[in-house]
């Protein structure tokens, strides 16, 4: 398992500060380039997981890497044609979203459209965005445990 640092060591006190850095200082293309570089170092990677902004490069890698078997997106959902005309056959897509995440207003309609067709949608009660981030005020241990259980089930399913 490899977890790339798409922010090059920078940390932020709030989600807003992190988003501003990504949009203004690094840019979407910079985030995607860092993810591509990390993936190039692991050419046999089969599962791409992204949380919040990290879901964007996970989606792209799952759609463009021939080795891809699954994408697990937490706190984000993108249209399946964001990086390719359609979602690749045989590549699982799991979406883990909080039902009232204020950062996920655009994600929920996308996720609902994909659910049952292309994606497995797991919706958790509450409004926290970074709910899997231990130590963050949004942390929800029960939901995080469910995400981990479900992600491990997906890993087992796609590795068989």
């Amino acid at each position: 398992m490899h977890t790339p640092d798409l922010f090059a060591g920078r940390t932020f006190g709030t989600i807003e500060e992190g988003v501003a850095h990504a949009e203004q200082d690094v840019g979407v293309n910079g985030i995607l380039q860092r993810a591509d570089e990390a993936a190039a170092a692991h050419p046999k990677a089969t599962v791409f997981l992204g949380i919040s902004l990290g879901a964007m490069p996970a989606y792209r890698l799952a759609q463009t890497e021939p080795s891809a078997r699954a994408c697990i997106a937490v706190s984000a959902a993108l249209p399946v044609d964001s990086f390719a005309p359609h979602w690749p056959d045989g590549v699982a897509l799991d979406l883990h979203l909080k039902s009232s995440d204020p950062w996920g207003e655009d994600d929920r309609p996308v996720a609902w459209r994909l659910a049952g067709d292309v994606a497995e949608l797991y919706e958790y009660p509450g409004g926290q965005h970074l709910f899997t981030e231990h130590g963050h005020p949004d942390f929800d241990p029960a939901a995080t445990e469910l995400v981990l259980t479900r992600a491990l089930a997906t890993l087992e399913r796609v590795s068989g």
Side-chain angles (χ1 to χ4, degrees), residues 133-148:
E133 182 76 23
H134 191 271
H136 191 277
D138 284 357
F139 182 60
D140 179 339
T144 298
E145 185 64 34
L146 274 173
V147 170
L148 291 173

Side-chain angles (χ1 to χ4, degrees), residues 63-103:
Q63 289 186 295
T64 60
E65 287 295 319
S67 63
R69 296 294 169 260
C71 175
I72 300 171
V74 180
S75 297
L78 294 124
V80 293
D81 61 354
S82 295
F83 302 104
H86 57 82
W87 194 257
D89 290 336
V91 177
L93 174 58
D94 288 0
L95 305 172
H96 299 268
L97 303 171
K98 282 287 192 157
S99 59
S100 301
D101 178 355
W103 287 90

Side-chain angles (χ1 to χ4, degrees), residues 95-152:
L95 305 172
H96 299 268
L97 303 171
K98 282 287 192 157
S99 59
S100 301
D101 178 355
W103 287 90
E105 290 177 4
D106 294 335
D107 297 334
R108 286 189 294 277
V110 168
W112 292 327
R113 277 196 305 278
L114 301 176
D117 182 24
V118 173
E120 188 71 41
L121 172 59
Y122 301 104
E123 207 168 5
Y124 307 85
Q128 306 92 331
H129 183 66
L130 297 177
F131 67 97
T132 59
E133 182 76 23
H134 191 271
H136 191 277
D138 284 357
F139 182 60
D140 179 339
T144 298
E145 185 64 34
L146 274 173
V147 170
L148 291 173
T149 298
R150 290 166 171 163
L152 288 171

Side-chain angles (χ1 to χ4, degrees), residues 32-33 35-48 57-71 83-84 86-92:
L32 292 172
Q33 180 180 357
D36 288 347
E37 290 167 1
H42 302 277
K44 294 183 181 181
T46 59
V47 178
F48 300 96
Y59 258 72
R60 186 168 88 149
L61 291 166
Q63 289 186 295
T64 60
E65 287 295 319
S67 63
R69 296 294 169 260
C71 175
F83 302 104
H86 57 82
W87 194 257
D89 290 336
V91 177

